[in-house]
Amino acid sequence: MSTSRGGERRLAATLAAMTAIAAGAVVAAPGRVAALLEASARALRSRRSRRKPVRVYMDGCFDLAHFGHANALRQAKACGDTLVVGLVPDAEVLRCKGPPVLREAERRAVIASVKWVDEIIENVPYDLTPAFCETLYSKHGVDFIVHGDDPCLLPDGTDAYDAPKRAGRFRMIKRTEGVSTTDIVNRILRAAASDERRENADPAKDAAKDAAKDAARTPPKRSENRFLATTRRIAQFSGGGRAPQPGQRVVYAHGAFDLFNAGHVRLLREAKKMGDFLLVGVHDDDAARAGRGAAYPVLALPERALGVMACRHVDDVIVGAPAEVTRDLIATFDVRAVVAESGASVPEPERRDRARDARARDDAPAHSGGDIIHSRDEDSFREETRARVIQKRDPNEIAKTLGVFREVPPPAADAESGADRLTSSEIVRRVAAARGAYEARNARKNQTEARYYEQKSNRTIELARET
Ligand code: CTP
């Protein structure tokens, strides 16, 4: 690999030198210089096409896949030409790390959407035994096995990557600081606790008082080792951003994209089909928090935006979009279609209130038939609810008025894996429902991560190739 790459580099350097010479010589002998340049470019192209593509393999659980995982995949891809991802199945995750939050099909959908991933192998073992490595080399044509610079130990304390290391087939990439599945589960547990407090609040209370109380609550506690977004990282993920070509139809999808998941992937995939260029607005933290409590969003704006940028269906991203699609936004980006999940036009606070109202109705004593007699309390509760609904605006109202609003139909009930129906709220619900199991798993993982940060040095160099 290094020889042919070295050859390419030399050829590319020659080309650059010739271009520089040509800048001066082109006046004297334009035809000859052009022919020379064309011949060199042909040689470079043919050498590239003759070289056997380097296949690299990265495995993982990729539970609650986050931008740290995406950055690992980006670096792994930079180690070669084709990135093959090994997805560890649920039973293996359970055996080696504890219960996963997401099912295999849900984890798979997000990883398959990451733009640096070329192939996926399912049902791979957590332990890279010599026999399994042999299968990777011979059956899947893998040249190198890649993993982050964090220790990856098997339940018996041995190194899961010992075999490829001994065989000289191991490549290490730099782990992304400030994010991990454990950290995200910790944040979800806090968000779930805040949801419980809100759910138990008196439904007849004044909404403004509720909001004020919520705002006064301690803001979400972020890890002290939290992720720091740099422009370089954003450039690596976005590939510099693309501009729509003349005549391309721009589609705009927007949302919080908190806990980026298979449901988001489906929305973006379907949105892309409605045009040629998909622009995604990732709501700022205030918009993403609206009506959901101080513990939301679970991921901060730069974290959510990177998750969206890593998705292959996305062409460009607005980092910190407003909750409401404005006339100005539509005009500025020449948006031809504003796309949302069906039912998504109902603003989040209203959705919460509808659910709360439904519960309140269920709890109310049944009427005995005949004339419906409302109690004074019930009437005033309805009045308040109506007032709350009126205050809230449909975020897609202007797009509807302009006739550019399109709905993505809900996923078919018989969707193969069911992964498409996943939502961020469902993820929070799952973690809350098994709080004890996740707290126990995280207590073990928190210790390992604390040790990792204590011993952390900066030895591994992050791979520079940007896309
Ligand atoms: N990874 C990374 N940066 C992170 C988290 C994971 O580079 N912040 C890399 C790991 O080093 C590994 C790959 O992503 O090469 C898949 O990781 P996974 O098996 O999902 O588990 P963990 O390493 O335990 O990641 P997490 O703690 O987030 O679960």
Side-chain angles (χ1 to χ4, degrees):
M1 169 189 156
S2 58
T3 322
S4 64
R5 287 252 162 110
E8 270 185 26
R9 266 197 296 274
R10 277 195 299 279
L11 210 51
T14 311
L15 254 182
M18 287 182 65
T19 310
I21 294 165
V26 76
V27 182
R32 200 162 148 252
V33 171
L36 265 172
L37 279 175
E38 179 46 37
S40 301
R42 250 200 324 273
L44 181 61
R45 278 198 299 273
S46 117
R47 189 186 280 263
R48 276 206 175 129
S49 63
R50 276 203 313 270
R51 180 168 62 77
K52 177 186 165 292
V54 175
R55 289 170 66 82
V56 293
Y57 175 82
M58 171 171 270
D59 62 355
C61 308
F62 303 105
D63 193 19
L64 295 174
H66 45 72
F67 59 93
H69 291 133
N71 197 33
L73 296 167
R74 182 189 66 77
Q75 293 178 77
K77 171 84 174 194
C79 293
D81 303 298
T82 305
L83 173 57
V84 182
V85 172
L87 191 65
V88 178
D90 293 346
E92 274 288 270
V93 184
L94 181 65
R95 180 177 76 84
C96 299
K97 294 177 92 168
V101 177
L102 300 186
R103 298 175 193 121
E104 199 173 320
E106 296 164 338
R107 294 185 282 120
R108 187 189 194 289
V110 177
I111 294 308
S113 82
V114 172
K115 60 185 169 189
W116 299 290
V117 174
D118 297 300
E119 295 169 27
I120 294 185
I121 309 177
E122 288 173 3
N123 276 319
V124 302
Y126 191 81
D127 178 357
L128 279 123
T129 58
F132 180 67
C133 288
E134 230 10 84
T135 313
L136 286 178
Y137 308 144
S138 55
K139 185 174 164 203
H140 298 285
V142 165
D143 297 292
F144 298 105
I145 293 170
V146 186
H147 188 263
D149 58 355
D150 50 309
C152 183
L153 304 178
L154 295 169
D156 67 2
T158 57
D159 181 358
Y161 292 83
D162 186 53
K165 281 179 186 168
R166 282 171 189 275
R169 300 264 206 159
F170 186 76
R171 295 285 181 270
M172 190 179 273
I173 50 107
K174 193 164 170 51
R175 187 178 165 88
T176 305
E177 305 303 11
V179 66
S180 66
T181 303
T182 308
D183 169 47
I184 294 177
V185 169
N186 281 336
R187 298 192 214 176
I188 296 176
L189 285 167
R190 280 195 292 273
S194 107
D195 281 350
E196 276 159 33
R197 283 196 300 270
R198 286 169 62 84
E199 294 298 321
N200 295 332
D202 180 353
K205 259 190 201 149
D206 181 51
K209 267 196 217 155
D210 254 2
K213 259 196 184 168
D214 228 5
R217 273 186 196 126
T218 332
K221 197 167 150 257
R222 301 267 187 243
S223 154
E224 151 188 345
N225 308 311
R226 74 171 186 275
F227 170 70
L228 303 169
T230 57
T231 47
R232 179 166 170 264
R233 180 74 71 228
I234 291 169
Q236 288 167 335
F237 270 58
S238 66
R242 277 192 287 274
Q245 296 306 301
Q248 283 197 320
R249 184 180 153 83
V250 178
V251 174
Y252 181 66
H254 65 121
F257 295 99
D258 200 12
L259 299 169
F260 193 78
N261 60 62
H264 295 133
V265 173
R266 185 191 87 94
L267 170 73
L268 298 178
R269 189 181 59 231
E270 297 305 313
K272 180 67 182 266
K273 286 183 195 160
M274 295 183 178
D276 313 298
F277 186 95
L278 179 59
L279 174 67
V280 181
V282 179
H283 291 169
D284 62 38
D285 285 343
D286 285 343
R289 181 177 305 117
R292 305 204 67 194
Y296 288 92
V298 175
L299 281 98
L301 175 60
E303 303 176 304
R304 292 181 284 116
L306 287 174
V308 173
M309 283 175 209
C311 178
R312 65 175 76 244
H313 308 301
V314 176
D315 295 294
D316 203 2
V317 172
I318 300 177
V319 181
E324 287 177 27
V325 182
T326 59
R327 197 177 287 270
D328 182 58
L329 188 150
I330 292 174
T332 304
F333 295 98
D334 192 21
V335 171
R336 300 301 168 89
V338 173
V339 176
E341 200 83 62
S342 65
S345 282
V346 180
E348 179 60 31
E350 187 180 329
R351 263 186 273 168
R352 287 179 50 83
D353 289 344
R354 280 187 188 178
R356 199 157 65 171
D357 294 351
R359 270 197 310 280
R361 271 196 305 278
D362 291 347
D363 293 346
H367 295 297
S368 52
D371 290 338
I372 297 171
I373 301 161
H374 300 303
S375 74
R376 211 164 58 84
D377 272 0
E378 197 176 340
D379 277 342
S380 61
F381 172 47
R382 276 166 195 240
E383 252 337 289
E384 276 177 29
T385 304
R386 205 169 300 126
R388 281 203 304 270
V389 171
I390 289 165
Q391 281 165 24
K392 286 155 208 149
R393 302 212 9 209
D394 174 354
N396 298 309
E397 194 178 295
I398 290 171
K400 286 177 185 170
T401 312
L402 296 174
V404 294
F405 181 71
R406 302 282 175 278
E407 263 187 346
V408 168
D414 61 345
E416 216 170 75
S417 60
D420 276 2
R421 288 191 295 277
L422 190 62
T423 62
S424 311
S425 310
E426 165 62 13
I427 294 175
V428 175
R429 197 199 57 72
R430 273 187 210 172
V431 173
R435 175 176 281 277
Y438 290 116
E439 280 174 347
R441 187 186 87 164
N442 276 13
R444 286 194 304 274
K445 255 299 209 154
N446 283 337
Q447 279 176 4
T448 326
E449 287 196 0
R451 255 198 317 276
Y452 164 77
Y453 279 113
E454 264 166 38
Q455 294 163 3
K456 180 184 121 166
S457 66
N458 198 17
R459 281 192 303 260
T460 322
I461 307 293
E462 187 175 300
L463 285 165
R465 204 169 88 183
E466 302 296 291
T467 51

